[in-house]
Amino acid sequence: MSIPTLWNGKPYYPISQYFRHRFGERVGKISVSVAEQCPNRSNSSVLPPCIFCDEYGSAAYHLEREESLVEQIERNKRHVIRRLKCSKFLVYFQSYTNTLDKVEILKQRFSIAAAQEGVCGLVVGTRPDCLPSRVIDLFNKVTADNYLLVELGLQSFFDHHLQFLQRGHSVQQNIRSIETLASETEADVGVHLIFGLPNETEQEIVETAQRINELPVNNVKLHNLHVFKNTPLAKLYQEGNFTPVELDTYSDKIILFLRHLSPDVSVQRLAAIANRRQDLIAPKWTEQKMVPIDFIDKKMRDSDYYQGQLVR
């Protein structure tokens, strides 16, 4: 297997290729922000907020929440069409935890999104500790007529890293959530992982890839740990107790992960992009959308590395 014959010339399996194969053409993702809480930020929570998360959750543009769901879909669809020239779309329920509201509210949101012109499926972002049976039942109703991808914010397969991140869930909950979704629904399962954690070892990175290979995971979304204003991590950074990794170091971590990752697992993202640049403290390279992607891609090509190269 050589790099030029892999995945349309990429040294890793981009999820765009998976969607093109599944839907027969290019598919764009339309992000929307409608959820208003997560377990770490609800009024009744005894948990501290995640160390990297500010008040806007993962919303790239928090002002969108002032618009209705349909307005967000229509506005962002126009942007996606200009950028990708596509006619099919996935509506991505992105910010906060999108399975915490009452099932009837979730059902209404999913139905509205699925009914919009050109929408061929839904993507729902949530956490491994927020999948009660009533949500699993709802997912089964959704997949009766629509494609569904559930993205789980696992972040790590090591409890000491989860504790540092103040996630409030465990590795066992991570594993159980993946297995539940795979065995009890028809949804694809995607997972979010953070690299660049304090005292992170190469062996942990390899073991993370091996764990993904053993589980029914369809795709991964990779993030570097970066510092936003008004977060617990910002305080650690300002006190000199956390230093984010530079791009070259982060790239080495991602390449090591990819070389041990099954070639059947598609890759959504290689690095986090800080769209709200005014709130980013460090590292500055994460505000440049294509720079880390191109850097990692070139580094893999220069070394003849590719996804799955070291999978046994």
Side-chain angles (χ1 to χ4, degrees):
M1 185 180 289
S2 60
I3 291 177
T5 62
L6 289 172
W7 310 300
N8 200 30
K10 288 285 188 182
Y12 59 91
Y13 180 17
I15 198 168
S16 58
Q17 291 294 313
Y18 172 77
F19 286 146
R20 187 182 290 272
H21 175 75
R22 184 177 184 107
F23 297 105
E25 61 185 87
R26 191 170 196 174
V27 174
K29 185 184 284 187
I30 301 171
S31 297
V32 297
S33 299
V34 292
E36 297 181 350
Q37 59 180 333
C38 79
N40 299 53
R41 289 187 175 274
S42 66
N43 294 332
S44 60
S45 176
V46 296
L47 297 171
C50 296
I51 199 168
F52 54 83
C53 190
D54 65 9
E55 63 179 304
Y56 303 120
S58 57
Y61 307 104
H62 60 276
L63 294 178
E64 289 181 355
R65 289 189 295 192
E66 298 176 2
E67 300 175 334
S68 71
L69 175 56
V70 172
E71 288 171 336
Q72 290 186 47
I73 291 172
E74 287 303 312
R75 182 165 61 82
N76 290 336
K77 182 195 291 186
R78 291 192 292 271
H79 173 72
V80 171
I81 290 173
R82 286 196 301 270
R83 185 166 57 89
L84 300 180
K85 306 296 189 293
C86 57
S87 60
K88 286 188 177 179
F89 312 94
L90 300 171
V91 175
Y92 178 25
F93 292 85
Q94 179 181 13
S95 59
Y96 292 128
T97 304
N98 287 278
T99 57
L100 281 182
D101 287 292
K102 294 180 179 179
V103 168
E104 286 306 312
I105 294 176
L106 299 178
K107 182 179 178 181
Q108 182 182 42
R109 288 173 180 166
F110 297 163
S111 296
I112 290 172
Q116 301 308 302
E117 183 179 358
V119 172
C120 59
L122 307 178
V123 182
V124 177
T126 188
R127 291 166 48 112
D129 53 350
C130 295
L131 291 171
S133 58
R134 61 184 180 274
V135 169
I136 297 297
D137 291 341
L138 176 59
F139 285 165
N140 282 320
K141 293 176 182 176
V142 172
T143 55
D145 300 304
N146 302 278
Y147 169 80
L148 175 64
L149 165 59
V150 180
E151 292 188 10
L152 295 169
L154 307 188
Q155 316 311 353
S156 177
F157 278 103
F158 295 91
D159 281 321
H160 62 279
H161 289 319
L162 292 176
Q163 290 163 8
F164 169 77
L165 294 170
Q166 299 181 170
R167 287 295 291 172
H169 58 80
S170 67
V171 171
Q172 283 305 310
Q173 286 174 302
N174 287 354
I175 295 170
R176 188 161 56 247
S177 66
I178 294 170
E179 292 176 337
T180 297
L181 283 169
S183 64
E184 299 183 19
T185 78
E186 296 298 319
D188 276 357
V189 180
V191 300
H192 295 199
L193 298 169
I194 291 177
F195 293 108
L197 294 158
N199 304 313
E200 183 177 65
T201 68
E202 289 189 355
Q203 185 58 36
E204 287 177 339
I205 294 171
V206 172
E207 288 181 16
T208 297
Q210 292 171 339
R211 184 67 66 89
I212 294 293
N213 297 345
E214 295 166 356
L215 290 166
V217 172
N218 300 93
N219 57 78
V220 295
K221 182 180 285 186
L222 311 179
H223 301 261
N224 49 292
L225 185 58
H226 55 265
V227 186
F228 269 107
K229 296 177 182 178
N230 302 316
T231 63
L233 191 59
K235 186 172 185 295
L236 288 181
Y237 176 81
Q238 291 157 358
E239 293 171 347
N241 293 318
F242 173 73
T243 302
V245 296
E246 293 302 324
L247 177 55
D248 193 55
T249 300
Y250 177 76
S251 298
D252 288 340
K253 293 175 181 289
I254 295 306
I255 292 170
L256 179 64
F257 172 80
L258 290 175
R259 295 181 74 202
H260 286 87
L261 180 68
S262 166
D264 297 323
V265 178
S266 60
V267 179
Q268 287 207 49
R269 178 182 292 169
L270 295 175
I273 307 300
N275 291 301
R276 288 183 283 111
R277 297 181 182 181
Q278 71 277 10
D279 295 324
L280 176 69
I281 296 177
K284 290 301 181 182
W285 60 263
T286 198
E287 69 182 13
Q288 304 173 73
K289 183 173 184 179
M290 294 307 299
V291 168
I293 297 172
D294 292 342
F295 188 89
I296 295 169
D297 188 287
K298 183 178 186 302
K299 200 167 189 178
M300 293 184 76
R301 292 174 187 277
D302 288 348
S303 300
D304 291 324
Y305 290 155
Y306 54 87
Q307 181 179 336
Q309 190 173 25
L310 301 178
V311 174
R312 296 177 181 175

